[in-house]
Each structure stands twice: as C-alpha cells, then as structure tokens.
Amino acid sequence: MTPTGSTPPAEALPAEAPPGEPEPVGSRAAGAQRTEAQHTEAGPAEARPAEARTTETRPAAAPPGEPPHTGAPPPGSPEPGSPEPGDSDPGSPDPGSPAPSLRARASAARRRAAVLFRDGALGGLIGSTGLIGIAGAMMSTSSSLFLADEIGATPLMIGLFAAGRGLMDIVSGLTLGALSDRIGNRRLLLTLSVFLSAAGALTYMLVRDYYLLLGTGAILFGLGSACFSQLLAYTRDFAENRALNATFFNSLLRAITSLTWIIGPPIGFLLIATFGFGVLYFTAAMLYLSGGVLSLWLLPNLRTEDAGRRPPGRAFSGINSSTWLLMAAVVLLLAVNNAYQIDIALFVTRDLGFDAGFTGLLLGLAAALEVPTMMYLGSRADRFGKWRLVLSAAVCATLFFAVLPLVETKAMLLLMQVPNAFWTAIVLSIPVTILQDAMADRVGAASSLYTSSFHGGVLLGGATTGVVTQWLGFTKVFWVCALLTAVATLLIALGRNGGEESGRAALKRAAAG
C-alpha cells in the first residue's frame, strides 16, 4: 500500500484498450468509475481483490417499498480500494487507531513552528518586546532613587512626579490607542512612541532640575508609554494575520515581558553601582532606540496590508456593562499586585525579621513560576474559558492575601508563591484578550483600556499601601488587599455571563465585516 496522497507506480495502472478494440474483461464492472478508481487505488492491479476484476452479477430486485439496489456504494462511503480514514501509514495494523493522526498533528506542528521561527516579523516582534521591556524595567525601578539622590526631591515631590507621569500614561495611551484604530498603522505609532521613550531616557541623563525634568522627561515618557498598548494591539493583529491562537500568542509575549522584569532591574542597579545614573539612562535610551529600529525595519504594517475593519466613530462608545465591570476588577487586582510588590519587602524584614535577600528570593521564585504558568494557561484559555480563568484568579488572590498575614516561616512563604504566580499570570495576560474580543473592531482602544487599567491600578496600589502602612502597619496591608480582591471577584462574577456572550457576538461581527 502506498502512502495516502502519493502517486501509484506506473505499472500498477490498468492499460487502456486500443481504439476499435473491445475493453478488457472487468472494465464494464468498473463503468464510469474507471478514471476515479485509477487515482484512488492504493496498490498494483494484480493486488486488487478478485471480485473487482470480474464481471459483477445483476443485482436482485429490491423488495416492495425499498429503493432499488444500484450496486454503487451508499453516499458518504469510501470508494472501493480507497484508503480508510486515518490510514495514512502504510502497513498500519489498525487503520482506525489514533496513532497516525497524532503523528500527523505533531508533524504539522513541527512544520508550522519551523515556518514561524523563520518569520523575520516574528523575530522582530519578540526582539522589540524584549528590548522595550528591559529598558522599561530599568527605568521604572530606578526613578524614585534617581529623584531622591540626583535631583534631591522630597517624598512629596517624588509622589507628585509619579502621579503626573501616571496621568500622562493614561491620557496618551487612550489617545494613541484610538488613533491607531482609525489610521490603521500601528507600526508607525509603536515606533514613534518608542523613540519618545528614548528621548525621555536621554532627558533623565542630562537634566538635573526637578521642574524641568517634570516638564520634559515626564511628558516624553508619558507619551512614550503608549508603546505598551500599541505592542498589545499589534500582537493581536499579528496573531490574526498569521492564523495563530490569539490568547496563547498574547500570553507568550506577556511572558517575555515578565522575563524582562527579571533581567532588567539587576542590570540597572549594577550599572548604577558601577557607573552611575548617566550610564544607566544612556543604556536605556539605546535599548529603546534599538527596539524602535527593529519595529520599523522588521514589522509589517498589518492593518494597511489587510484593509481591515473600520472602528465606530467614537472609539469608546458602545462598551457594555460587562466590559466596565471587568475593567474595574482589573484595576483592583493590579492595585493589590502593586501593593504586594511595595509591601512584601517591608513585611518580610520588619515584621518577620528575615533578611532582605530572602525578599529577592521570593520575588524571583514568583516570577520564575509566573512565566511557564502564563504560557500554559494561555494555550488552554479557550478550553477552560477566559472569564472562568479570571474569576478563578480573583478567588485565588483573595485566599492568598487572606492567608499571607498568618504565615511566619520561610518555607510557607516560598510555598505561597505558587498561588501568587497562578493569579498574577492570569491577570497580567488574559483580561487584555477578553477586552480585545469584546472590542474586536477596535483592538487599539481595547489594548489602551487595559494599559490604562494597569496604570490606574499602580496609582491606587501605591496610595493604598502608603495610607494603610502609615496608620495600621505593614501586615494589615494584606488584609486590605484581600478585601479588594473579594470585591473584584464579585465584579467578575456579575459580568461573566454577559461578557462571554458579548465577546462571541463581537468576534462574529468582526469576522463578518
């Protein structure tokens, strides 16, 4: 038997009779199926069953009330001699066994992976995400120290600087997100925002006056921060253009961003300790510039090539209540995540009396668990249900923060990083896909809503931590976090049913358009 889809040997094809001569015996039995049988036979003519080479007898008359027998196979049945379904492996003892199907799927997956890894645009997207992520991690973790040591800013001035930049992040992200849907050129806006971030880093390197830095660096970085929402929107467009699972691909790129936050801060503080802030910010500017060049050089302008969907007149009109409930829940979940990042070091060192190095171990372990969890759940999100995953993350976060104040040993703190990684991996990747599904005709606006929720959560988390630690202490912060995550759980439960239905409807409308 030859493999399915291959051409039979030439000697296996039955010879045709010369013109004017009668056809060989058995040709009338084949009838009009001669041509099709020549293409579907799986072996030489001499290996065919004997009954296929002899003249068929006239079929008996059908009983009254039944259709006459024609001798033809029933509709939908395979042709005589054709391979059975799943019989793609010559010599397979059981044509119906799933092994050939599994091998075929594995082979197809390997071929698809090979094609993707040879895709220069994919390499450019991964490279840009990595470079921008490392530069952003270096800048974010060092800015307060820079303002205090190099500028001489007071805690109030540092807070005002962070608040001003946060508001700029939200406004610029929403504006450029809506604009990218309208002009259909995300690559241009992505590259522009990355170059503005590079200019902001150079401003940090050169300027040492607080008010001048606030008027230039904060504004440049505020405008440049839109690169993250543009990356999320471009990632969605790229997945659709390459026929990839959007949820998994988004989770993959988010996992790369999480990796950059493992790499970036140690490199940044090493540069500060060795060379000072000037070299740090020059390095960050070069990373931003490299990411922008990669974006401009390797990334195709997908929406222009694809003449895609047209957004409604108002970018944020027609958003249903389920989407707003999800956004409010995301703000609360990201707020408690930021509060945890701020408070965990103080809780470990001040309340529990452990060394600061153990705090680094906790954060590193959580990040190491978060990356594979994010990729695995992203690949299974459609099977589990995206809303169900986000709801389970909120429940897990509530339990995590309710138990954390009771933990007193290092072993238990390390063990607690498993549920911590689970809920943060989901919150940092799945909600943006839900928003993009619900607003499938304006992915840029949806992505900017998520990043705005992220910035809003950071501001709320910082304010919550400051107020609670001032009046109640470090441990009590986690009780407040448990309360906020419980509220987030309720919001997600209220919006789940309507959100799932509206997401499916929006995807159908986008596909039809």
Side-chain angles (χ1 to χ4, degrees), residues 24-404:
V25 176
S27 62
R28 287 186 298 275
Q33 298 177 0
R34 174 197 302 272
T35 304
E36 185 174 352
Q38 289 175 352
H39 290 284
T40 58
E41 289 290 352
E46 58 270 22
R48 300 172 191 163
E51 59 268 25
R53 298 196 301 270
T54 60
T55 305
E56 293 181 353
T57 59
R58 185 187 303 275
E66 293 185 18
H69 298 288
T70 61
S77 62
E79 290 287 335
S82 64
E84 295 292 335
D87 189 14
S88 60
D89 188 16
S92 175
D94 184 7
S97 64
S101 177
L102 291 174
R103 285 197 294 269
R105 286 200 297 266
S107 176
R110 287 194 297 269
R111 290 194 299 268
R112 188 166 184 78
V115 171
L116 283 175
F117 279 113
R118 290 196 298 268
D119 190 342
L122 175 62
L125 183 56
I126 292 175
S128 297
T129 301
L131 292 171
I132 295 169
I134 292 174
M138 292 168 59
M139 294 294 303
S140 297
T141 54
S142 64
S143 59
S144 60
L145 184 63
F146 167 72
L147 291 172
D149 291 354
E150 292 289 307
I151 306 298
T154 64
L156 178 61
M157 295 169 69
I158 295 174
L160 291 174
F161 192 97
R165 179 179 165 181
L167 291 175
M168 281 296 302
D169 291 347
I170 294 173
V171 173
S172 64
L174 292 173
T175 302
L176 292 183
L179 183 61
S180 71
D181 289 330
R182 187 157 301 282
I183 70 174
N185 191 343
R186 302 198 205 284
R187 182 186 64 178
L188 174 63
L189 293 178
L190 171 61
T191 304
L192 176 62
S193 59
V194 174
F195 286 159
L196 287 173
S197 294
L202 291 176
T203 303
Y204 275 51
M205 182 183 73
L206 300 173
V207 176
R208 290 297 180 270
D209 179 78
Y210 174 83
Y211 296 101
L212 182 58
L213 189 65
L214 179 63
T216 55
I219 292 176
L220 288 172
F221 265 121
L223 295 172
S225 68
C227 65
F228 292 107
S229 62
Q230 292 303 304
L231 268 177
L232 291 173
Y234 190 92
T235 297
R236 174 64 177 243
D237 288 344
F238 187 92
E240 292 180 351
N241 181 268
R242 298 298 196 268
L244 302 172
N245 182 300
T247 308
F248 169 72
F249 192 66
N250 176 70
S251 298
L252 174 63
L253 271 295
R254 291 295 293 161
I256 293 174
T257 302
S258 296
L259 281 175
T260 64
W261 277 80
I262 300 175
I263 299 170
I267 294 176
F269 285 108
L270 178 62
L271 290 175
I272 292 172
T274 308
F275 303 105
F277 286 101
V279 173
L280 167 70
Y281 293 132
F282 177 79
T283 303
M286 293 302 102
L287 290 173
Y288 278 126
L289 284 173
S290 300
V293 170
L294 279 181
S295 300
L296 194 61
W297 180 31
L298 294 178
L299 301 187
N301 185 10
L302 298 176
R303 293 301 296 274
T304 297
E305 293 176 0
D306 194 17
R309 304 150 292 203
R310 286 289 172 259
R314 295 182 179 179
F316 303 103
S317 63
I319 300 176
N320 57 49
S321 59
S322 296
T323 302
W324 290 118
L325 289 172
L326 176 64
M327 285 189 56
V330 169
V331 169
L332 295 177
L333 291 169
L334 292 174
V336 300
N337 182 54
N338 186 55
Y340 173 82
Q341 299 288 334
I342 296 172
D343 193 59
I344 186 63
L346 299 171
F347 169 69
V348 168
T349 56
R350 302 286 179 86
D351 287 2
L352 298 183
F354 300 139
D355 59 279
F358 183 69
T359 304
L361 178 61
L362 287 179
L363 296 175
L365 176 61
L369 293 172
E370 181 184 305
V371 171
T373 303
M374 191 179 292
M375 295 179 64
Y376 174 78
L377 293 177
S379 66
R380 300 292 190 274
D382 291 332
R383 179 182 303 176
F384 296 149
K386 292 187 278 289
W387 276 87
R388 183 180 300 170
L389 281 175
V390 177
L391 180 61
S392 65
V395 173
C396 181
T398 303
L399 296 175
F400 171 76
F401 285 111
V403 173
L404 186 58

Side-chain angles (χ1 to χ4, degrees), residues 401-422:
F401 285 111
V403 173
L404 186 58
L406 308 176
V407 174
E408 296 180 350
T409 65
K410 288 185 176 182
M412 283 302 299
L413 283 172
L414 291 171
L415 186 61
M416 290 287 287
Q417 299 314 303
V418 175
N420 186 31
F422 172 79

